[in-house]
Amino acid sequence: ELKVEQNPLFLSMQEGKNYTIYCNYSTTSDRLYWYRQDPGKSLESLFVLLSNGAVKQEGRLMASLDTKARLSTLHITAAVHDLSATYFCAVDGRYGGSQGNLIFGKGTKLSVKP
Amino acid sequence: NAGVTQTPKFRILKIGQSMTLQCTQDMNHNYMYWYRQDPGMGLKLIYYSVGAGITDKGEVPNGYNVSRSTTEDFPLRLELAAPSQTSVYFCASLGSSVETQYFGPGTRLLVL
């Protein structure tokens, strides 16, 4: 059974600081996704990582995937208040024959304070 | 394109009542999904469909039913509502496996 663990679950940061959110998963997968959710809102796609060593960056966020270690990271550079949200990683549960059956982590609630 | 739309936005049900959550997408996506999100628990897959006429169970299907008669629509049926079904329900669709899933705005359901 595929399990996805994120840590930390809660993160309070000061503006301007850097931090990394970790996403570990338990079985082989070659597709990993990062989403953002604002309170009371739906999920917004941030990154799709499709191969070992994939790295994607958008603004102050950078995501990477190491399929051998079964680990993805979401790195935040020089945090700003607008990044406050809950971040989810999700792993495709079917290796090599995806039907998009995503298994989600519990999410990391990020709060960026002045 | 409207993307993925869901109705209703919010509903209160009494125990034992039934209802249908509607989901429609206008992107001609073959894959569609229903998730529930409980506080602090992330999202869990209820049912999914890989095309019209084809559905399958996800992680937590008990108490729910689905149908997929058209590419656009993927309704979720609750037959006998229970307090444990109090949650936020999200519908999503996917065009291809190299893309991301597109999520609807959600339906907040309260069963009392």
Side-chain angles (χ1 to χ4, degrees):
Chain A
E1 178 188 351
L2 175 60
K3 293 186 178 179
V4 179
E5 291 187 354
Q6 286 182 239
N7 68 82
L9 297 182
F10 298 93
L11 179 55
S12 182
M13 298 176 63
Q14 280 191 313
E15 281 191 332
K17 299 292 187 182
N18 304 334
Y19 209 82
T20 301
I21 299 171
Y22 297 88
C23 176
N24 291 88
Y25 52 98
S26 60
T27 63
T28 303
S29 179
D30 55 0
R31 291 173 175 83
L32 190 136
Y33 306 81
W34 284 97
Y35 292 90
R36 168 182 171 146
Q37 186 179 38
D38 293 302
K41 302 293 185 181
S42 187
L43 278 76
E44 171 192 352
S45 176
L46 294 175
F47 301 108
V48 181
L49 303 170
L50 298 176
S51 61
N52 186 42
V55 177
K56 291 196 173 179
Q57 183 165 5
E58 181 72 33
R60 301 175 187 273
L61 300 177
M62 183 174 71
S64 65
L65 177 61
D66 181 344
T67 58
K68 293 180 181 178
R70 298 175 186 169
L71 171 68
S72 179
T73 61
L74 180 66
H75 187 72
I76 303 157
T77 302
V80 293
H81 179 71
D82 285 352
L83 290 179
S84 297
T86 299
Y87 293 84
F88 291 94
C89 67
V91 177
D92 195 311
R94 297 194 181 204
Y95 177 76
S98 173
Q99 292 182 337
N101 295 0
L102 299 186
I103 306 298
F104 280 80
K106 292 185 177 182
T108 296
K109 186 172 183 179
L110 172 65
S111 176
V112 181
K113 302 183 184 303
Chain B
N1 286 351
V4 181
T5 57
Q6 293 182 238
T7 57
K9 290 184 179 179
F10 177 67
R11 182 78 181 267
I12 299 175
L13 279 184
K14 294 182 179 179
I15 294 172
Q17 286 185 322
S18 61
M19 77 165 292
T20 299
L21 283 67
Q22 302 291 347
C23 175
T24 300
Q25 54 92 7
D26 62 359
M27 297 173 282
N28 202 32
H29 286 170
N30 283 327
Y31 300 104
M32 294 187 75
Y33 310 86
W34 275 105
Y35 295 92
R36 60 177 287 172
Q37 184 178 29
D38 299 323
M41 295 301 292
L43 278 74
K44 292 194 174 182
L45 183 65
I46 305 172
Y47 271 95
Y48 68 99
S49 170
V50 300
I54 306 170
T55 63
D56 206 349
K57 297 177 181 179
E59 282 185 271
V60 290
N62 291 344
Y64 307 94
N65 276 302
V66 294
S67 59
R68 183 97 182 270
S69 57
T70 67
T71 299
E72 295 78 19
D73 300 307
F74 190 40
L76 178 71
R77 178 83 177 164
L78 283 71
E79 291 293 349
L80 292 169
S84 61
Q85 293 177 306
T86 292
S87 191
V88 180
Y89 292 84
F90 289 101
C91 178
S93 72
L94 175 71
S96 76
S97 62
V98 297
E99 298 179 8
T100 186
Q101 293 188 13
Y102 294 88
F103 284 81
T107 293
R108 189 173 299 270
L109 177 65
L110 180 60
V111 182
L112 298 174

